[in-house]
């Protein structure tokens, strides 16, 4: 049985464990910082694969078959735009979620990513500072 579709939020949302329904999902977390894996600790039944950006290729995506890809907005050496370009080249069509501390204007960042990501599902999850 397939898990229900992942919500396609209209704008960024603050990451709240009560709202995040990732149970039963196949989640690919790319170059995680400490904040999101800590937030995922309470998620039951999810299959979480952690990978470096350099590890992601067509074979890996086929093997993991993620329901959602999560990555920090900024990582040492790359950002979510680099990941979006790579996933686009590899034909990934699923949801992409960036996470970051609260931003002053997520709409600007989302607009930039959507130039690469097109009409596919993208959003930024804001991780409250208390989760760090």
């Amino acid at each position: 049985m397939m898990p229900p579709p992942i919500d396609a939020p209209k704008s960024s949302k603050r990451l709240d464990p009560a709202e995040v329904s990732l149970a039963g999902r196949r989640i690919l977390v790319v170059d995680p910082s400490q904040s999101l894996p800590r937030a995922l600790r309470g998620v039951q039944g999810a299959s979480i694969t952690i990978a470096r950006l350099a590890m992601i290729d067509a074979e890996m995506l086929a093997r993991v078959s993620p329901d959602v890809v999560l990555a920090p907005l900024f990582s040492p050496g790359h950002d979510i735009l680099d990941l979006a370009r790579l996933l686009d080249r590899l034909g990934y069509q699923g949801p992409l979620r960036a996470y970051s501390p609260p931003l002053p204007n997520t709409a600007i960042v989302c607009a930039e990513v959507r130039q690469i990501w097109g009409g596919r599902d993208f959003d930024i999850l804001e991780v409250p500072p208390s989760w760090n």
Side-chain angles (χ1 to χ4, degrees):
M1 179 171 181
M2 295 287 296
I6 293 175
D7 296 335
K10 301 289 184 221
S11 63
S12 71
K13 60 196 297 186
R14 190 167 296 274
L15 189 60
D16 179 344
E19 294 178 5
V20 177
S21 176
L22 297 174
R25 307 266 189 223
R26 292 178 309 270
I27 305 164
L28 174 59
V29 182
V30 180
D31 288 326
S33 67
Q34 293 180 348
S35 59
L36 193 62
R38 179 182 292 167
L40 287 174
R41 285 183 192 155
V43 174
Q44 299 293 319
S47 169
I48 300 172
T49 301
I50 297 176
R52 298 265 180 227
L53 182 72
M55 297 168 56
I56 299 173
D57 59 17
E59 185 274 327
M60 181 207 197
L61 282 178
R63 181 173 33 81
V64 173
S65 188
D67 294 316
V68 62
V69 175
L70 299 173
L73 189 59
F74 299 103
S75 293
H78 64 86
D79 60 23
I80 199 69
L81 293 171
D82 299 316
L83 177 59
R85 285 183 193 99
L86 174 62
L87 293 172
D88 183 57
R89 277 195 314 273
L90 295 174
Y92 174 73
Q93 296 294 311
L96 174 60
R97 296 290 184 268
Y99 58 92
S100 77
L103 300 169
N105 190 341
T106 58
I108 292 171
V109 179
C110 285
E112 189 173 354
V113 173
R114 287 188 180 118
Q115 287 182 3
I116 296 166
W117 202 239
R120 287 172 281 174
D121 186 0
F122 171 76
D123 201 10
I124 298 173
L125 303 173
E126 295 181 327
V127 180
S130 63
W131 283 25
N132 292 331

